[in-house]
Amino acid sequence: MRDNPNRKIEPLYPDVLGAITDGVRISMDKLQTALGIFPRRTFVNQPVEVILIVQNMVDQNMQLKVGVQLPTTDKKGNPVVIDTPKKLIAIGMRPGEVGVLRIPIIPLPPTQPGVQFPVRIAVRYRTAEEGHAVRPPTGGAPPSVLTISPVKLQVLRDVEYAAQTWNQSAEIITTYFDVAAKRIEPLNQDLQTRYESLWTMEEMAEETHLIQARVQDAVRVASGLTRSTLLRPIGHAVEERFAARGMPLHPGESKAIAKMITYTLDEGLDLEPGFSTESSRWFQVLCQVLAHDENVEDLDRPELATRYLFDSAIYDAVLLGFALIDPKVKEDLGDSGERLNFANRILLWLAGQVEPDLTFIYLPLVMGGLVVNLFVNPRDDNPWLMVDQLREASRGRARLVSGDALAIFHMMDELLDDAEDQLRRARIPRS
């Protein structure tokens, strides 16, 4: 990487919600939420708190309406009485704000002891304008600055969060609590619903200052992200993530995508015209992660890449992949805006917000991996193997599609022919 101590980092907003919930989240386009309850077990006349974390994903003010749906009978049909101060709460959020809503509920007589009493929280939001995303949909880097104390933060982290929707609607989230047999006397408690801001855009100036201070450290760490150490761990991560999102890969496909991502993390962005590591999203995330926790620098590089940089590296690999294959195919691959939108769409799919699409595998990740096959190839691996595996996988996939999707496999045929010619010119034997 070209070392430039004056480079300016322009990071995206941090993933405060994920830092609290350990990644648990429900995505609703411009809003992310997670729901928990504490404690999970209570008594009649003893309150518990429903905890709702909300994260504004855009640079617009947002109005939330939160509805509380409480059970009226238990599993045996016995009456259930649960009180709460408000069943409809309105919240105003600033651009990019993250906050916590605490809703106290209290079981009252004649509620009987039992387990798994459901509490459903309905969340709806509105913004005046469409706005622009300030966080990647898959989460992003953790925060270095928060408006609450470390003690309050730890209390929130101790809550067990769930992403369990009701009737497949992301707008209705469910959590559960138990009522123990013991009954305590009624307490004269003033139960109040409270909303507290955890992070606002005012914190971004300090975040950026702390991030900028770690640029030199990030350059040093990035020098250890090489193809010899990353390729196989990245391959395992690719297989797991794609399968988890409903698109299991053929061996050749996972190898090609791993090579494209590894090339992006290694030297690819500095070798290709119009790109640079220092302006990439994954390098910005690396700076953010180091600002959040300096001990991250001590992690093995494969763990650092797969744990912290994977999603941002995919985003960069998509943009780089388009540039690699553009001069080699006849199809129009779109302008820079369309390519950015496609990269964001892949992240939305990884976040579970859009349905799987075969183009997410091939265009341009597999195709780009095919272009850099020789450059990112272990010494103990014959590069012909991936080409042959991709030829077989591509033919099988093509038999299952029609219409516009066939254009992908016409491009694949062109790139496979070119890859074979490249291996022959390099005098690499097939076996």
Side-chain angles (χ1 to χ4, degrees), residues 406-426:
L406 284 173
I408 293 174
F409 298 101
H410 293 152
M411 286 190 283
M412 274 299 294
D413 287 339
E414 294 177 53
L415 291 170
L416 284 165
D417 290 343
D418 184 73
E420 290 184 355
D421 288 342
Q422 185 183 25
L423 294 176
R424 292 189 188 99
R425 288 194 301 270

Side-chain angles (χ1 to χ4, degrees), residues 106-124:
I106 182 169
L108 300 172
T111 303
Q112 299 297 309
V115 297
Q116 294 286 91
F117 287 88
V119 179
R120 293 194 174 99
I121 302 297
V123 184
R124 290 176 174 81

Side-chain angles (χ1 to χ4, degrees), residues 4-5 7 9 211-220 283 287:
N4 176 13
R7 70 170 61 86
I9 299 296
I211 292 164
Q212 192 72 43
R214 301 310 302 267
V215 169
Q216 296 302 312
D217 299 323
V219 170
R220 184 174 61 255
F283 183 77
C287 294

Side-chain angles (χ1 to χ4, degrees), residues 218-230:
V219 170
R220 184 174 61 255
V221 171
S223 66
L225 299 174
T226 63
R227 50 189 177 274
S228 61
T229 59
L230 293 184

Side-chain angles (χ1 to χ4, degrees), residues 294-312:
E294 61 183 16
N295 293 324
V296 167
E297 188 173 348
D298 299 327
L299 289 177
D300 291 340
R301 296 304 180 253
E303 182 181 356
L304 189 151
T306 55
R307 182 176 173 185
Y308 290 106
L309 307 180
F310 185 83
D311 292 345
S312 56

Side-chain angles (χ1 to χ4, degrees), residues 58-87:
V58 294
D59 61 352
Q60 296 291 314
N61 290 322
M62 181 176 287
Q63 298 297 319
L64 299 187
K65 286 190 175 180
V66 180
V68 184
Q69 302 174 10
L70 300 169
T72 56
T73 59
D74 62 19
K75 296 176 181 179
K76 298 178 180 178
N78 299 316
V80 170
V81 177
I82 299 177
D83 193 20
T84 189
K86 291 182 179 180
K87 289 192 175 181

Side-chain angles (χ1 to χ4, degrees), residues 238 242 247 249 252-261 264 310 313-322 324-325 342 346 349-350 358-372 386 390 412:
V238 166
F242 275 66
M247 289 201 299
L249 300 172
E253 295 168 344
S254 62
K255 284 182 185 177
I257 295 173
K259 287 190 176 188
M260 187 64 238
I261 297 172
T264 304
F310 185 83
I314 280 190
Y315 176 88
D316 293 322
V318 170
L319 301 180
L320 183 60
F322 274 122
L324 289 173
I325 67 174
F342 188 78
I346 289 182
W349 163 67
L350 286 172
L358 194 59
T359 56
F360 297 159
I361 297 176
Y362 280 86
L363 187 66
L365 293 173
V366 162
M367 295 181 185
L370 191 55
V371 172
V372 300
M386 191 188 84
L390 280 177
M412 274 299 294

